[in-house]
Amino acid sequence: VYVNSKSHRQEAPESVRGAGVGRRSVCHAMSAAEALAPAKQAIKQQAFYMKKALDQRHLRTALHHAATMIGELRTSALGPKAYYEVYIDVTTELRHLEEFFEAEHERGRPMVELYELVQHAGNVLPRLYLLLAVGRVFLQSKEAAAKVVLEDLVEHCKGVQQPLRGLFLRNYLLQCTRERLPDTGSDYEGEGGTVSDAIKIVLANFGEMAKLWVRMQHQGPAANKEQREKERAELKVVVGGNLHRLASLEGVTLQVYTAEVVQPLLELIVSCKDGLAQEYLLECVCQVFPVAYHTATLPTLLRFLSWLSAAADESAILSHLISRLCALEPADGETEARDVFTPVADHVERRCASLRLLPSLALALALARLALEAYEAHTEYLERALSLASTRLESLGVVTEKRAVAVVQDLLSLPLKRKGGDVLYVLELTEWPRLVSRLPPPPPRPGG
């Protein structure tokens, strides 16, 4: 229902009425494959009637069909991949509605009127998708400050707390507002807000999406936990989209990142208290922001790594961070890169005592790469990386575990490859022969 007076309601044709909602109880008993086909067909059918109504400028009828079409996203019968297909079909068709709103704006119709009109939709999920669709044009119209509209949209989206539906709803929010944030140099800066407002809005959306993503593991019986974890892994890119948008803001300079982004962002990630979420999101942070941002905020980042959930693989996150730091280059006017090796190596040494053998050796290998690629003139850094591995192996004597042997061999061959096979270079390293002594003797030659 889109207006309070029942006399203004227009009935849909019998063949269409309740197409999305009437089948929902049946869908619960269906497999995902069986539920997908009728959902896609219903979307196609409702989109046809929606576009027909839009052509005739019968907005309330069009909104009725649009809401019924969006109702297909209320299903619980689909896994993430199938749900994504339905989501793409729905949001693609909603572009026609967005174009109608744009045309109405050009005719002089106030967007605030439409913004209020769509909020009369009966079910929460269709109402919010319609609100985001008109909100996109409302932002474009600049009838209200961008930050006010954006904050309202982010707040409204809290109305959907079912994890899968909420994640995709907020992904649509990100999609609708992507080019309409009050970023530095954008058309929405000034009266519409500042880059600080844009940062707060993206972080708020990210925080809510992270909560929904983590909550997925608690949905359903314990016997299906493995399947749920697989489905959660499939959705990580949806959550990470917020970080990509945050990193792409023109106003997020090094100074702004240091003062306004890194601390609240890391607080949100650590507060997830979920290993899978923390690992992926921190790796995403390392990847999407420039290396210079990480070097400037390294103490903060390393401090937060110490507060991760016990289920998070800190060694994997550290390895990813160190790999990113390998791309570090000297600042303008300087001959060598800023020293990030020492604080990272200090942190690794403190953590290695609590790590298993293979993760410890993998971190030593990552540190050796960092020493050779960013600080080639400082052989003491390479020595420290080799010493870390030697010390970790000291209590074991000769290494016999195949995977550990392979990592040690990679560690020993790394300086040789970097120096073009210069044996004299490695023989001058104090720690290199010490580490060689930890390898098992080669097998005897046949017939020898």
Side-chain angles (χ1 to χ4, degrees), residues 234-410:
E234 293 171 354
L235 289 167
K236 63 184 182 182
V237 178
V238 177
V239 184
N242 291 277
L243 300 180
H244 285 275
R245 184 64 190 103
L246 192 60
S248 69
L249 289 172
E250 291 292 332
V252 179
T253 60
L254 175 56
Q255 183 179 358
V256 171
Y257 178 80
T258 304
E260 300 183 38
V261 176
V262 65
Q263 181 88 13
L265 175 58
L266 294 177
E267 285 176 357
L268 286 172
I269 293 173
V270 169
S271 67
C272 288
K273 298 181 181 178
D274 174 76
L276 174 67
Q278 290 174 341
E279 282 178 46
Y280 170 71
L281 295 174
L282 282 169
E283 288 178 7
C284 196
V285 168
C286 292
Q287 192 63 39
V288 300
F289 290 102
V291 176
Y293 288 27
H294 301 314
T295 60
T297 58
L298 193 58
T300 301
L301 181 53
L302 293 176
R303 186 173 73 253
F304 272 90
L305 289 184
S306 302
W307 300 334
L308 296 179
S309 162
D313 187 351
E314 186 185 351
S315 63
I317 300 166
L318 278 168
S319 293
H320 194 84
L321 172 62
I322 295 169
S323 296
R324 282 289 286 149
L325 294 175
C326 285
L328 185 63
E329 295 181 354
D332 292 341
E334 297 182 3
T335 57
E336 65 178 23
R338 175 181 176 176
D339 178 21
V340 297
F341 182 92
T342 301
V344 173
D346 289 345
H347 183 87
V348 169
E349 286 178 350
R350 286 194 298 271
R351 306 300 289 175
C352 267
S354 60
L355 294 175
R356 299 186 306 275
L357 177 61
L358 278 175
S360 299
L361 293 177
L363 285 172
L365 180 60
L367 284 172
R369 285 200 179 97
L370 177 60
L372 287 166
E373 293 185 24
Y375 307 98
E376 193 170 1
H378 291 267
T379 55
E380 70 273 18
Y381 291 168
L382 178 59
E383 291 272 29
R384 188 172 179 183
L386 296 174
S387 175
L388 178 66
S390 299
T391 303
R392 186 67 178 81
L393 295 168
E394 201 164 25
S395 62
L396 301 176
V398 175
V399 186
T400 56
E401 208 275 322
K402 288 184 179 180
R403 291 179 297 173
V405 169
V407 177
V408 173
Q409 289 173 338
D410 287 343

Side-chain angles (χ1 to χ4, degrees), residues 7-18:
S7 63
H8 286 83
R9 293 177 59 186
Q10 298 188 33
E11 288 291 311
E14 185 65 34
S15 60
V16 189
R17 208 157 39 226

Side-chain angles (χ1 to χ4, degrees), residues 92-111:
T92 298
E93 297 297 349
L94 282 177
R95 278 296 301 145
H96 298 284
L97 193 59
E98 292 170 12
E99 289 169 2
F100 178 85
F101 292 147
E102 289 172 0
E104 289 294 283
H105 169 59
E106 290 171 3
R107 293 187 189 103
R109 186 169 188 174
M111 285 298 100

Side-chain angles (χ1 to χ4, degrees), residues 1-2 114-122 127 130-131 152 156:
V1 182
Y2 297 96
L114 293 177
Y115 193 73
E116 293 173 356
L117 177 63
V118 298
Q119 294 188 49
H120 292 283
R127 181 194 314 152
L130 292 173
L131 189 68
D152 190 56
H156 269 91

